[in-house]
Amino acid sequence: IPGNAHMSPTCLLPLFASIWPARSLTPRTSSLRTRTAASASAPGGTLDALSASLPFLDASMYTRDARYSGLGVTLTGREACAAAAHAWRDTLPSRLRNFAVDGMTVLPPDARNVIVCRYRLCFDAPVPPAVLPGQRRRLDAANLRIEGGRTHVTAVVAASLRLDRDGSRVCRHEEALVADPLAVGTSIAHFELLSARSAALQPGGQLELLREPLAYWSALRGMMRVELDEIRRRSESDEAAVLGGEGGVSDDEFEAAFRAYMVRIFAIGFAPPLAAFALAKVLLQVASDSVGLGAGGGG
C-alpha cells in the first residue's frame, strides 16, 4: 500500500456504530516506558520485576502452563505467551508512529494473589476516509486534530495477572480495552492497535502476502466484538448487569451479527453498481425495441 507500511482502515472502519444501530442488539520514534506508579514488591520482588517489564513480559515471568487472554488473542504455555510478548515489543513501535507506553499503574497483589494494572498506549494513527453520511457526521463531531492525515490517539488497557502459589510467576494474564469504544478517536486507536498486534503474530514465509489481509480481518472482528459488547452493556439495566455478569454478547450472537454486518457492507458496496448495470440493460433494451418499431413502421 503506497505510503504506508501497513493496511489502514477503509471506509468500513472504524465507525461501526454509524452502520450498525444499537437497537439491532437485545520515521518513527517510540518510548516504551513512561510510568507514574509502582508499589511495594510482592514476594521475591515480583511486583517490581513485573512493573519494569509490563506490558511485555519475559518468559521467566510466566509459569510453564501460563495462559494469556486479551484483545482477541488466547495463548497457552510459557513459550507461546513470551513469544507473543516479544513480537509485540518489537513490532508495535515500528508499526505505530510515535508509540509510547504511558501512565503505567501497578497495584500490589490482593488476597487472591492477583495483580491489577492499567496503562495507556499512545501513538499517531491514520484517519480513515469517511464515505457514508453517518461516518462523516461522527468524524466532524469528534473535532480531531489531524495533521498529515494522522491524529494522536490513546488506547487504555486494563490487565490482571494471577500469580502462582509462590507468588513468583504469572499463571494467568488477562487484558482488556477499557476506554469508550464508540468514541471516534478511541475507535481509531483500537483498530490500529488490534491490526498491529495481529500482524505481529502472523507467520512469515509463504504466507507473507497474507499478513496484512489477515491482520485487517482480525482487527475488523476484534473491533466489532468490543463495540457490540459495549452496546449490549449500555442497553442493560443495572439489575440485569449484576444478574448477568459482564453482560457481553455470546460467541453465537457475535458470529450472527458479524455475518449480517458483512452482508450489509457488501450490499452497500455492490448494490449501486449492480443497479446501474441493470438500469443500463433495461434502457438498452428499450432503445433497441424503439429502433425496431421505427424500422417496422417505415416499411
Side-chain angles (χ1 to χ4, degrees):
I1 299 176
N4 288 290
H6 64 286
M7 184 175 295
S8 298
T10 68
C11 61
L12 305 185
L13 285 169
L15 311 177
F16 285 124
S18 63
I19 303 174
W20 191 273
R23 63 178 179 275
S24 63
L25 281 177
T26 332
R28 306 176 180 181
T29 59
S30 65
S31 173
L32 293 181
R33 305 274 181 257
T34 305
R35 300 178 183 275
T36 59
S39 304
S41 61
T46 301
L47 188 63
D48 290 337
L50 288 174
S51 180
S53 299
L54 283 167
F56 311 117
L57 300 184
D58 297 326
S60 61
M61 298 180 182
Y62 285 113
T63 61
R64 185 185 301 274
D65 60 348
R67 292 181 58 188
Y68 171 88
S69 176
L71 284 63
V73 176
T74 301
L75 303 166
T76 303
R78 174 190 296 160
E79 290 74 15
C81 295
H86 184 271
W88 293 328
R89 183 190 300 116
D90 289 348
T91 302
L92 295 189
S94 65
R95 290 182 63 96
L96 304 175
R97 183 176 297 179
N98 295 324
F99 177 83
V101 179
D102 189 24
M104 177 66 71
T105 302
V106 184
L107 299 181
D110 59 17
R112 302 168 300 162
N113 234 15
V114 174
I115 293 174
V116 295
C117 69
R118 179 175 293 218
Y119 58 90
R120 298 188 297 269
L121 301 178
C122 308
F123 51 91
D124 297 336
V127 178
V131 177
L132 300 178
Q135 293 175 330
R136 288 195 293 269
R137 287 194 299 269
R138 291 191 65 211
L139 195 57
D140 291 341
N143 293 320
L144 300 177
R145 182 178 178 180
I146 303 174
E147 297 181 359
R150 291 178 176 270
T151 185
H152 193 68
V153 296
T154 299
V156 182
V157 181
S160 66
L161 302 94
R162 181 179 294 276
L163 304 179
D164 59 9
R165 292 183 178 180
D166 297 333
S168 58
R169 290 185 175 85
V170 177
C171 59
R172 298 291 182 272
H173 186 178
E174 298 179 354
E175 291 185 312
L177 296 167
V178 294
D180 180 8
L182 302 182
V184 174
T186 306
S187 183
I188 295 174
H190 288 179
F191 175 81
E192 290 294 327
L193 176 61
L194 293 174
S195 180
R197 280 170 49 100
S198 178
L201 300 184
Q202 299 300 330
Q206 295 179 346
L207 297 179
E208 184 67 26
L209 293 177
L210 298 178
R211 179 185 298 270
E212 299 302 335
L214 290 175
Y216 183 91
W217 182 258
S218 177
L220 178 66
R221 288 175 58 84
M223 278 288 300
M224 189 168 184
R225 183 64 183 257
V226 170
E227 294 194 356
L228 292 181
D229 284 341
E230 178 66 13
I231 291 172
R232 170 62 60 81
R233 185 189 68 79
R234 292 186 181 186
S235 68
E236 290 183 339
S237 64
D238 293 338
E239 293 80 2
V242 172
L243 295 175
E246 296 182 356
V249 297
S250 67
D251 291 342
D252 290 340
E253 287 175 322
F254 167 70
E255 293 298 340
F258 187 76
R259 287 193 296 268
Y261 171 78
M262 294 306 300
V263 169
R264 188 172 183 175
I265 286 298
F266 280 111
I268 292 174
F270 289 104
L274 288 176
F277 176 76
L279 179 61
K281 292 281 287 183
V282 170
L283 293 177
L284 182 62
Q285 185 64 42
V286 170
S288 177
D289 292 344
S290 298
V291 170
L293 290 175

